[in-house]
């Protein structure tokens, strides 16, 4: 095939692709507050939620964030976003579950945390809400899943919610509009590199 | 099992888990500039990279971003991060490939784009560099993969690089420290919801 034929063949292929993509875009014409779930063992779930916080702020939306499990408060994302106008930031956990080793206290912490979230879900001025690592509270049974799903379903129609964490329950995936599962193909931690500022925390 | 036994059993399980986690943390004691690859068809790859930008800024790092394919310049992430001190932002593409329909021009665009990236990779004052949607330029052959890998390998020892996009070449995954593959379990777009500000752009 000559260079000119290759160019022509490439152009024809790309034109067909563009037609398919344009038709799909024309079919997708609704606006809606989305429920997104980012789960799986791979690196990047919470980061992805925080990237959406930046996107939302860039469009002038107000954002609420609740970090469920991490009791730590020296993360880069918290330092950065707390200093931004339009962001409400809650750290609601008491540390990772294997740190507390007390089931009753974990349940009580999760219950109080959800009360804070429920208030945000009732606030139509918030365009995006991030529930970081909520899945741990669900899969460990610290929170009542039907209550959580009901509060999510009753939120304002255009409010987006992003939920992160490993092992999202099937019912949460069923209620979601978009679900991505992050597969852990490779992780630097297993090669002996500790968590790095700016990437992992 | 009584409630007290359950508490005790939970505590013992969590203690064992904590011991395993603590040992893994003790083994991972190196600091290193990481090469991260976020690939797969699921939603959240670019968002994840932008979340790491926020983390890095929160720790006082300087950040460089190059968006490879998207010629558009009305995204939330761009509006937001361009206004932040410590961020250098380049939009290097001419639109999605099926928009340009000209292979020679795409190659020339990619070549000029990589020259900009190579300069960032040589700048030790940048703690994190995001190469958003670089994979499209690689899998379409617009950029020379060995050249890209050589420039990545020669970067400063503590500089982190995040590369996003579908269909990352195997050689790129092999060179990376951390690879996550985002599986598209469900996407609102297929249910007729168009790209939403604050989530998708």
């Amino acid at each position: 095939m000559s260079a000119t034929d290759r160019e022509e063949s490439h152009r024809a292929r790309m034109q067909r692709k563009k037609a398919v993509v344009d038709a799909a875009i024309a079919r997708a014409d609704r606006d809606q507050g989305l429920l997104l779930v980012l789960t799986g063992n791979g690196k990047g779930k919470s980061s992805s939620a925080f990237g959406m916080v930046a996107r939302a702020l860039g469009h002038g939306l107000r954002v609420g964030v609740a970090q469920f499990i991490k009791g730590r408060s020296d993360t880069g994302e918290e330092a950065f976003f707390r200093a931004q106008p339009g962001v409400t930031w809650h750290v609601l956990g008491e540390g990772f579950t294997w740190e507390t080793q007390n089931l009753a206290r974990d349940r009580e912490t999760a219950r109080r945390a959800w009360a804070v979230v429920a208030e945000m879900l009732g606030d139509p001025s918030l365009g995006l809400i991030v529930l970081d690592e909520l899945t741990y509270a669900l899969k460990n049974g610290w929170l009542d899943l039907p209550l959580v799903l009901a509060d999510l379903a009753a939120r304002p129609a255009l409010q987006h919610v992003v939920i992160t964490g490993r092992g999202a329950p099937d019912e949460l995936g069923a209620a979601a509009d978009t679900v991505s599962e992050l597969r852990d193909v490779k992780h630097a931690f297993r090669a002996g590199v500790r968590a790095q500022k700016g990437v992992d925390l």
Side-chain angles (χ1 to χ4, degrees), chain A:
Chain A
M1 200 157 59
S2 73
T4 313
D5 287 349
R6 260 203 311 277
E7 271 292 334
E8 188 44 50
S9 151
H10 173 78
R11 189 162 20 243
R13 203 166 60 243
M14 290 298 108
Q15 270 171 354
R16 286 193 300 273
K17 189 164 180 178
K18 176 164 163 50
V20 170
V21 170
D22 286 351
I25 289 173
R27 273 195 306 274
D29 60 354
R30 265 188 303 126
D31 287 316
Q32 183 190 311
L34 297 175
L35 176 59
L36 299 102
V37 172
L38 298 158
T39 191
N41 297 338
K43 192 254 179 311
K45 300 180 289 296
S46 297
S47 315
S48 193
F50 300 134
M52 291 182 226
V53 172
R55 281 188 168 148
L57 294 172
H59 288 295
L61 302 181
R62 290 184 60 238
V63 179
V65 177
Q67 292 195 288
F68 255 76
I69 302 294
K70 288 177 175 157
R72 64 183 311 156
S73 58
D74 59 345
T75 61
E77 63 265 23
E78 185 179 359
F80 179 75
F81 282 120
R82 271 200 195 274
Q84 301 294 328
V87 179
T88 308
W89 195 282
H90 299 280
V91 177
L92 297 170
E94 278 198 85
F96 283 93
T97 135
W98 50 81
E99 297 290 349
T100 72
Q101 300 174 19
N102 183 317
L103 188 56
R105 201 169 74 192
D106 288 339
R107 282 196 181 128
E108 178 53 23
T109 301
R111 201 195 51 74
R112 278 184 285 116
W114 190 255
V116 174
V117 172
E119 195 159 320
M120 292 200 293
L121 290 171
D123 179 356
S125 80
L126 292 175
L128 172 69
I129 293 173
V130 172
L131 306 179
D132 186 34
E133 310 205 31
L134 175 68
T135 59
Y136 299 92
L138 294 172
K139 71 180 183 175
N140 287 310
W142 304 334
L143 279 177
D144 181 46
L145 183 57
L147 167 72
V148 166
L149 292 176
D151 285 348
L152 287 170
R155 76 188 193 281
L158 291 180
Q159 187 182 71
H160 303 299
V161 175
V162 186
I163 295 174
T164 75
R166 297 181 182 207
D170 291 344
E171 298 90 329
L172 186 63
D177 301 291
T178 294
V179 179
S180 289
E181 186 189 335
L182 282 83
R183 200 166 69 84
D184 178 8
V185 179
K186 198 178 195 181
H187 200 299
F189 183 72
R190 288 195 294 277
V193 183
R194 69 181 143 199
Q196 295 294 297
K197 286 181 183 175
V199 169
D200 299 305
L201 52 120

